[in-house]
Amino acid sequence: MTPLFDPIQVGDLELPNRIVMAPLTRNRAVAGLKPGALQVEYYRQRASAGLIISEATQISPMGQGYLDTPGIYDSAQVAAWKQVTDAVHAVGGRIFVQLWHVGRISHSSLLPDAAAPVSSTDRRPNVQTFAAEGFVDVSAPRALRDEEIPALIEDYRHAARCAREAGFDGVEVHAANNYLLEQFLRDSVNDRTGPYGGSIFNRARLVVEIMQAIAAEIGAGRTGIRISPMTTFNDTARDSDPQALFEHLVARLDPLGLAYVHVIQGETGGPRYPDDAERPFDYAALKACFDGPWMLNNGYGPEDAPQALAAGEADLIAFGRPFISNPDLVRRLREGAPLTPPNPETFYGGGAEGYTDYPTLDADGAVES
Ligand code: PHB
């Protein structure tokens, strides 16, 4: 047995293993931006994970940036997600919802009244998103006014309340991959003056205030956060001093007693230690700023995941792509069974193909066809 199968207390939850299903955008929401019967089956199939983190789910209509991603802000969405959480719980699993606001990574056609996306800045990144008409350049954003920040924090609090009503065991705040919250954190994007711009303290303020609001609403032991200090995903340059920025943020969150911190190492979906990083990021120093469960992600597999746990680099490992194509990933890791590779063509959008039709091992440990 490897440390992957040691139970662990994570906030209010006792997890039976250290294997987490990472949040994965799949663009299969049904009308009303809700999960449907397919999502119920997809998450139920993966419930042997120590913890499932749902696909990124917008906190408000302004938080959407791609076609057919779900939300968690209205009563119909809450009822639909309740079907998912009931199915996961019925087979003994646990599931958090990832709370998402894309900020400037959006297109007006996806937003209420064809509004401009909102961000820390009015500068547009050179990226595309997928909207009803296909791939389109993101729209020019509008910088949020300081007076609008309390309503934004309220949207996060409201979504967290909706999450609990929907039966989620907790929430993960998406502060990674250069969506809205990281657009405030990084000095490569945030060009504000005032309380939410300038110093590291000020750039971290929005994330801290959101985490405080959610922890007050549903409990810190049911609240986690995901960060990605070094990724350039979404055409976004690194902060001028990511080590200082993220050590400050994590140290300031530590007293809240959060369920966990979840770190994407390196480039999202790419190398954990990018060759072009001027200085390699010291993830151990970042971990030392936090006194709770530490989750690492990005390309881990059957060999290096247990090694990272055994070395004390992490308490939990989040697996993304392996969970897409191996609903019984936990069993396969336990038995040393081969992993089925995923088909990238079915990652985003579509139906059951490449979503709920991946095989599981049969009673003899062979891959069912
Ligand atoms: C995506 O839609 O490709 C996506 C969404 C959320 C992420 C990363 C990628 O954090």
Side-chain angles (χ1 to χ4, degrees):
M1 291 298 264
T2 78
L4 279 175
F5 304 98
D6 292 343
I8 179 174
Q9 188 74 30
V10 172
D12 292 359
L13 301 184
E14 163 103 9
L15 311 188
N17 62 61
R18 312 296 182 97
I19 300 164
V20 175
M21 179 176 167
L24 294 158
T25 290
R26 304 302 305 274
N27 306 81
R28 285 166 169 84
V30 302
L33 303 176
K34 299 175 297 191
L38 266 183
Q39 283 83 355
V40 172
E41 176 62 6
Y42 166 76
Y43 286 112
R44 189 195 61 73
Q45 288 175 347
R46 288 157 178 79
S48 56
L51 178 66
I52 295 171
I53 304 166
S54 82
E55 65 208 273
T57 299
Q58 52 267 6
I59 60 159
S60 66
M62 280 302 291
Q64 187 178 355
Y66 304 85
L67 193 66
D68 298 337
T69 55
I72 182 133
Y73 48 83
D74 69 30
S75 56
Q77 292 164 343
V78 167
W81 279 115
K82 186 76 167 49
Q83 306 290 310
V84 171
T85 63
D86 282 349
V88 169
H89 292 149
V91 292
R94 293 141 301 276
I95 181 168
F96 275 30
V97 62
Q98 195 194 42
L99 298 184
W100 194 26
H101 190 307
V102 297
R104 65 179 184 163
I105 311 297
S106 188
H107 187 263
S108 291
S109 66
L110 296 161
L111 299 175
D113 305 318
V118 294
S119 181
S120 61
T121 178
D122 57 10
R123 289 178 299 157
R124 194 179 70 83
N126 185 25
V127 281
Q128 294 203 311
T129 181
F130 194 80
E133 56 267 47
F135 282 100
V136 286
D137 290 344
V138 298
S139 305
R142 171 179 80 75
L144 281 165
R145 289 177 278 110
D146 290 340
E147 310 83 78
E148 296 177 281
I149 300 288
L152 173 67
I153 297 170
E154 201 46 44
D155 285 344
Y156 274 92
R157 184 200 297 270
H158 171 75
R161 193 182 312 136
C162 288
R164 289 296 282 153
E165 279 168 33
F168 283 104
D169 297 293
V171 308
E172 174 177 284
V173 173
H174 190 343
N177 292 338
N178 296 308
Y179 294 108
L180 179 68
L181 299 185
E182 202 159 24
Q183 292 160 25
F184 275 81
L185 288 171
R186 293 189 182 200
D187 61 8
S188 57
V189 180
N190 183 334
D191 54 2
R192 308 172 73 82
T193 56
Y196 296 94
S199 65
I200 285 178
F201 187 92
N202 280 358
R203 284 182 275 122
R205 186 188 305 273
L206 177 61
V207 176
V208 172
E209 290 180 350
I210 287 168
M211 299 309 288
Q212 286 170 336
I214 293 177
E217 185 67 36
I218 66 168
R222 296 188 180 277
T223 308
I225 186 169
R226 194 181 209 211
I227 55 177
S228 55
M230 291 295 272
T231 195
T232 59
F233 192 74
N234 281 321
D235 183 46
T236 304
R238 296 193 179 103
D239 188 79
S240 63
D241 191 349
Q243 196 77 46
L245 171 63
F246 285 91
E247 287 188 14
H248 168 89
L249 175 66
V250 169
R252 222 159 126 203
L253 295 176
D254 183 55
L256 295 181
L258 299 177
Y260 64 82
V261 172
H262 179 182
V263 183
I264 303 171
Q265 293 172 279
E267 289 290 356
T268 310
R272 258 179 249 153
Y273 289 93
D275 291 332
D276 65 346
E278 293 119 50
R279 274 179 299 163
F281 193 89
D282 185 347
Y283 293 98
L286 185 62
K287 180 176 186 295
C289 299
F290 186 69
D291 198 21
W294 194 254
M295 189 187 304
L296 291 180
N297 168 252
N298 203 3
Y300 282 95
E303 270 88 52
D304 53 3
Q307 281 168 9
L309 296 178
E313 294 167 13
D315 305 299
L316 300 149
I317 301 290
F319 297 83
R321 283 163 291 188
F323 253 118
I324 288 180
S325 49
N326 299 274
D328 55 350
L329 181 65
V330 171
R331 179 176 172 201
R332 294 197 196 204
L333 292 173
R334 186 183 281 117
E335 298 183 8
L339 301 186
T340 301
N343 175 10
E345 313 230 306
T346 52
F347 281 179
Y348 303 109
E353 189 195 349
Y355 192 56
T356 52
D357 65 352
Y358 282 106
T360 53
L361 300 180
D362 67 16
D364 299 326
V367 177
E368 288 175 345
S369 48

